[in-house]
Amino acid sequence: MELLRSTIFHTPNNPFRSPDTFVALEDGGLLITEGRVTGCADYSTLRTTHPDAVVRDLRGGFIVPGLVDAHVHFPQVRIIGGLGYSLLDWLEQLTLPEEARLADVTYASAIAGEFVNALAAHGTTTALVFGSHFAPATTALFEAAEKRGLRVFSGLVLSDRLMRPELHQSPDSAWRESKALAERFHGNGRLGYAVTPRFALSCSEAMLEVCGALLRDDATLRFTSHINENPREIEEVERLFAGASDYLEVYERFGLTGPNSVLAHSVHTTNEQLVRLATSRTSIAHCPCSNASLGSGVMPMKRHLDHGVPLALGTDVGGGTGFGMMKEALQAYLQQRVAAEPFTLTPAQMLYLATRAGAEALGLGNQTGDFTSGKAADFVYLKPVAGSVLDGVLKHTEAPERKLAALFTLAGAECVREVRVAGDLVFHAA
Ligand SMILES: [Zn+2]
């Protein structure tokens, strides 16, 4: 039994529903027994009730739940920073040529290693990951995640039109390869399988039918794809699926929405679609860095919240600008301040979006995302670099919410000192 002593922040309740449920323990204790949280309270209380626990004094830093990235592409690690494009040009000129290189499994394995290292080094303990268009490369990702000890849901990316031909599969091979990967990795330790058509644009009706059949065959699989990211993309989808009233209906028609589904972006979504997303409990992964970088637009967060659509956050690497979920939450805050319908995120809401909201979107809300007793001990230990601007700000800040706001504003990967999943060390700063 281990008792960690530090300032602790977490959001065991949804701060969008009840604003005063943010938990901040200035001199907090996190009690861990066999990889699970068995207490989270004031240090002195836990010390008294558990005198035998081994104490680690981590004062001067902050423990927060492991960060959850609800939308990120593993093959795109090496193309981060492709500025100056919009979605379809970026795919054609920069992204798809790189994704094609993952046909080489040696190359793919190297990328998978870099990818899981980057997740862990940024404090991300759980991620919903777009795999590769190639089964061996997707296998390499699952193996790298398993070796690293991260919670990763991923899947073979499916397309049978309008990509480069080498990225296409037939619906038959998509079924066979998806089935084989799901059988091997879904529910295997911390891994899970997500049926992953690239987007409706690159999938025929037969391919989307395969996706629906995979979900019907195993109702515990997750589903992920993209929606309403860019006006040109939406126009093309509506042209290709002439019978559908809108982009969302394409997914609905094949049974691809629901509580196990996470759709990324939702920048150009109508109120009528928001009603349908909320009714089906389909989650949206909000990716503000990518939305701005690719000029996709400012996501209407207030309308999503008003309609009760479940929201999480994703970095969308490599359309996004890096692996930092704290930076992603800051970018959400900044963009919503100046959105057409502005909304001011509180630091507690930012923490919730970067942790528990993602866990809930992935169906892992009872396992991770906060420090409720019984959950896995998934956490990040952040410590400001001595003498840094953040260090100076924190020393002159009293209120916990102000400290958390300063962390979101100034804490980068250099502050991530230790990351653990179910108590197991997955990253330790040198
Ligand atoms: Zn994406």
Side-chain angles (χ1 to χ4, degrees):
M1 193 184 289
E2 187 181 12
L3 178 56
L4 307 182
R5 182 178 193 179
S6 170
T7 298
I8 298 172
F9 297 137
H10 71 134
T11 51
N13 295 295
N14 183 338
F16 288 100
R17 285 194 211 118
S18 33
D20 50 359
T21 54
F22 169 54
V23 175
L25 302 161
E26 185 65 43
D27 186 8
L30 184 67
L31 192 68
I32 301 169
T33 313
E34 291 174 355
R36 300 210 162 270
V37 174
T38 44
C40 181
D42 285 329
Y43 169 75
S44 59
T45 309
L46 289 173
R47 186 80 193 101
T48 309
T49 51
H50 297 84
D52 298 338
V54 177
V55 175
R56 258 182 84 204
D57 191 342
L58 297 171
R59 280 177 291 176
F62 302 84
I63 291 176
V64 298
L67 303 168
V68 182
D69 189 339
H71 184 70
V72 56
H73 295 252
F74 118 76
Q76 299 175 12
V77 190
R78 292 184 181 173
I79 55 151
I80 295 170
L83 305 181
Y85 295 92
S86 57
L87 174 67
L88 299 183
D89 308 328
W90 174 80
L91 280 170
E92 191 183 310
Q93 294 171 37
L94 192 66
T95 309
L96 299 182
E98 175 68 4
E99 297 225 6
R101 286 183 200 111
L102 275 79
D104 174 352
V105 73
T106 307
Y107 187 77
S109 297
I111 299 271
E114 288 171 27
F115 178 80
V116 297
N117 285 347
L119 289 178
H122 287 78
T124 298
T125 53
T126 300
L128 176 56
V129 181
F130 255 66
S132 163
H133 289 266
F134 306 103
T138 305
T139 298
L141 169 71
F142 277 120
E143 289 174 345
E146 184 176 34
K147 195 166 156 208
R148 183 51 89 146
L150 300 175
R151 294 184 200 283
V152 164
F153 278 68
S154 188
L156 181 67
V157 180
L158 306 177
S159 283
D160 63 347
R161 65 176 173 194
L162 297 174
M163 301 273 104
R164 299 159 68 93
E166 63 268 42
L167 299 179
H168 293 164
Q169 310 97 332
S170 68
D172 275 354
S173 69
W175 167 268
R176 260 195 331 273
E177 294 186 333
S178 300
K179 262 319 229 191
L181 286 165
E183 272 161 26
R184 181 162 168 204
F185 295 112
H186 186 60
N188 176 356
R190 296 168 189 164
L191 306 178
Y193 197 80
V195 176
T196 311
R198 181 146 209 136
F199 52 174
L201 187 64
S202 71
C203 294
S204 67
E205 298 204 358
M207 187 61 98
L208 294 175
E209 178 51 40
V210 163
C211 295
L214 286 163
L215 297 177
R216 284 194 301 277
D217 213 45
D218 182 349
T220 68
L221 297 183
R222 307 306 197 270
F223 175 85
T224 193
S225 196
H226 297 92
I227 193 162
N228 292 339
E229 180 173 0
N230 170 290
R232 252 185 74 206
E233 170 212 18
I234 297 166
E235 221 171 84
E236 275 302 290
V237 169
E238 290 175 357
R239 190 179 62 77
L240 286 166
F241 294 89
S245 60
D246 55 44
Y247 198 154
L248 177 61
E249 202 205 310
V250 175
Y251 293 132
E252 288 170 336
R253 195 192 282 181
F254 295 95
L256 307 178
T257 57
N260 287 341
S261 296
V262 179
L263 297 173
H265 299 290
S266 191
V267 176
H268 307 280
T269 300
T270 63
N271 285 344
E272 201 261 322
Q273 289 176 318
L274 291 173
V275 170
R276 283 148 55 201
L277 287 167
T279 305
S280 64
R281 304 308 296 154
T282 303
S283 292
I284 295 299
H286 174 37
C287 307
C289 289
S290 169
N291 292 344
S293 182
L294 293 172
S296 303
V298 177
M299 187 262 213
M301 183 182 281
K302 186 167 184 311
R303 284 200 288 119
H304 282 72
L305 291 167
D306 288 347
H307 283 82
V309 176
L311 282 182
L313 270 184
T315 61
D316 198 22
V317 157
T321 57
F323 285 86
M325 285 298 296
M326 309 270 298
K327 179 175 81 176
E328 205 65 45
L330 175 68
Q331 192 59 229
Y333 167 86
L334 294 171
Q335 289 183 27
Q336 293 310 314
R337 287 288 298 188
V338 296
E341 291 176 70
F343 181 82
T344 304
L345 284 165
T346 66
Q349 288 167 342
M350 292 160 77
L351 181 63
Y352 171 77
L353 283 174
T355 57
R356 187 167 158 188
E360 285 170 356
L362 271 160
L364 299 173
N366 58 355
Q367 291 181 46
T368 187
D370 65 79
F371 298 134
T372 303
S373 282
K375 288 196 178 182
D378 294 3
F379 68 86
V380 188
Y381 177 58
L382 299 161
K383 194 171 183 197
V385 175
S388 65
V389 174
L390 176 61
D391 193 27
V393 170
L394 290 168
K395 279 178 179 149
H396 291 86
T397 305
E398 287 297 324
E401 286 232 357
R402 300 287 322 130
K403 287 187 178 177
L404 185 57
L407 287 173
F408 274 111
T409 308
L410 289 165
E414 72 286 353
C415 299
V416 176
R417 309 301 301 170
E418 181 176 319
V419 184
R420 285 162 66 174
V421 176
D424 298 335
L425 191 67
V426 297
F427 175 80
H428 194 281

